[in-house]
Amino acid sequence: MPSDPHIQIDLAAMAKSGSTASYTLDDAFFGALDQEELTGGQIVVEASVRQKYGEVYEVRCHIEGEVRTPCDRCLEDVTYPVSIDETLKVFPEGEAPADDDMARECAGRNPMLDLAWDVYEAIILSLPMQRVHNDGDCGDSVPDIYLRESDDEADDLTDDEADDEA
Ligand SMILES: [Zn+2]
């Protein structure tokens, strides 16, 4: 069993340097993450950190690329583009406001923030609720139940033909 992959951000060091760190997430990353919604992808995460005040940091992420997820109809992969900007606020342990969805906490004197799950969840939230191929692009393994509606016409035709022959 592979261990969960991490995207570790050294908050103090990155705030001090003011640099942007870049992380590439590939099929191996999504495969190792304990999830089943994404079958793979090619994503670049660019993160920068600003010290707001005291031990409070602001982490800006740009998430860009594409991911693959099973089609709701045929279960073969559909590819979706991803382009997300997200800002997290990081507080010392116990100090994050409870009503702020984007607030995180980090313990210790040299706080490290792991972005892996935040990036994953941001990607999932950016995808449409219904994940399907464009009409006609589905794979062969479409379960019959989804074809029934369009099959009705074909059935009628077959009946007519059978009548004609009789
Ligand atoms: Zn499909």
Side-chain angles (χ1 to χ4, degrees), residues 67-141:
V67 292
R68 301 193 312 279
T69 183
C71 168
D72 291 341
R73 265 198 307 239
C74 71
L75 302 182
E76 291 182 14
D77 281 350
V78 199
T79 301
Y80 284 103
V82 172
S83 182
I84 306 163
D85 286 297
E86 185 151 277
T87 303
L88 300 172
K89 274 171 279 178
V90 189
F91 295 82
E93 200 170 19
E95 292 182 24
D99 59 351
D100 188 344
D101 286 348
M102 304 314 279
R104 303 289 180 272
E105 293 183 356
C106 271
R109 291 190 62 81
N110 189 24
M112 303 284 286
L113 179 69
D114 185 359
L115 282 179
W117 281 102
D118 278 311
V119 167
Y120 167 74
E121 279 165 11
I123 292 171
I124 292 295
L125 286 174
S126 79
L127 298 178
M129 288 296 288
Q130 203 185 22
R131 300 162 196 165
V132 292
H133 288 104
N134 292 328
D135 282 346
D137 288 349
C138 271
D140 295 334
S141 55

Side-chain angles (χ1 to χ4, degrees), residues 151-166:
D151 268 358
D152 281 350
E153 267 186 312
D155 285 344
D156 289 347
L157 279 176
T158 312
D159 288 347
D160 289 346
E161 279 166 18
D163 286 343
D164 287 345
E165 276 173 26

